[in-house]
């Protein structure tokens, strides 16, 4: 339709239409990411239950985010996780009832609230994350540390690219 807009049809879209997505490297990437994501979902459920037996799997990432970034508004958390305000409110109520998070007034805006991990939440999430890192260390013990660093760098680049 608008071929002139991408250099006469010679841009990335044109490359993809010529079968670029069916190249072996993209087929392998899709396969490996599918396996990784399936395992990550299963592991997230296990980690959530380790934090608290009644914790929903989807709430684990929320707790990790709070642990890494400190207090945040519910709207910020909803945007980061990719859920609506109602879903976030329901998850936060459940986490409050479990004693894992608390709400406190936002010092920058007295009308708003910040969600923070409670000391109990910090302790439980910290313990689970430390155990997970220990599992990674055991499973990757035969890797050169530079390879682990490179994998982390590439995953970071992939995650940044997926945000666009």
């Amino acid at each position: 339709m608008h071929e002139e807009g991408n250099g006469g049809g010679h841009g990335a879209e044109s490359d993809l239409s010529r079968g670029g997505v069916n190249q072996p490297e993209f087929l392998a990437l899709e396969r490996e990411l599918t396996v990784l994501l399936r395992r990550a979902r299963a592991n997230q459920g296990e980690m959530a239950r380790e934090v608290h037996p009644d914790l929903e799997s989807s709430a684990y990432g929320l707790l990790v985010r709070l642990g890494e970034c400190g207090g945040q508004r519910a709207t910020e958390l909803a945007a980061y996780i990719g859920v609506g305000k109602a879903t976030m409110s329901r998850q936060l109520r459940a986490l409050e009832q479990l004693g894992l998070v608390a709400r406190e007034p936002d010092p920058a805006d007295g009308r708003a609230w910040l969600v923070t991990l409670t000391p109990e939440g910090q302790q439980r999430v910290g313990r689970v994350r430390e155990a997970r890192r220990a599992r990674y260390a055991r499973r990757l013990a035969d890797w050169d540390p530079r390879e682990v660093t490179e994998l982390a760098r590439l995953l970071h680049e992939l995650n940044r690219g997926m945000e666009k």
Side-chain angles (χ1 to χ4, degrees), residues 3-119:
E3 291 182 336
E4 312 77 51
N6 66 7
H10 298 293
E13 237 177 83
S14 179
D15 292 341
L16 293 177
S17 66
R18 289 195 301 262
V21 296
N22 291 321
Q23 296 298 314
E25 62 271 19
F26 290 108
L27 293 169
L29 176 63
E30 178 196 21
R31 180 181 53 251
E32 296 305 325
L33 282 176
T34 298
V35 171
L36 179 67
L37 293 171
R38 186 181 69 239
R39 287 183 177 151
R41 276 190 297 276
N43 285 338
Q44 185 168 336
E46 292 172 17
M47 290 180 290
R49 286 186 296 281
E50 288 176 30
V51 170
H52 193 285
D54 297 329
L55 184 63
E56 288 184 27
S57 175
S58 60
Y60 178 77
L62 179 60
L63 295 175
V64 169
R65 177 70 175 184
L66 288 170
E68 289 179 345
C69 298
Q72 294 194 304
R73 293 181 180 184
T75 52
E76 294 171 318
L77 293 168
Y80 175 78
I81 301 291
V83 298
K85 289 171 68 174
T87 299
M88 182 55 55
S89 291
R90 183 184 57 77
Q91 284 188 338
L92 291 175
R93 270 193 310 277
L95 291 170
E96 282 181 296
Q97 290 172 349
L98 295 174
L100 301 173
V101 302
R103 296 178 204 234
E104 56 189 46
D106 183 345
D109 180 354
R111 299 166 298 166
W113 295 87
L114 293 179
V115 179
T116 60
L117 287 177
T118 62

Side-chain angles (χ1 to χ4, degrees), residues 143-162:
W143 285 38
D144 183 298
R146 291 174 299 211
E147 292 173 318
V148 176
T149 300
E150 180 65 2
L151 176 60
R153 186 190 69 75
L154 290 170
L155 288 171
H156 176 76
E157 289 298 316
L158 177 64
N159 286 325
R160 274 192 28 216
M162 295 297 186

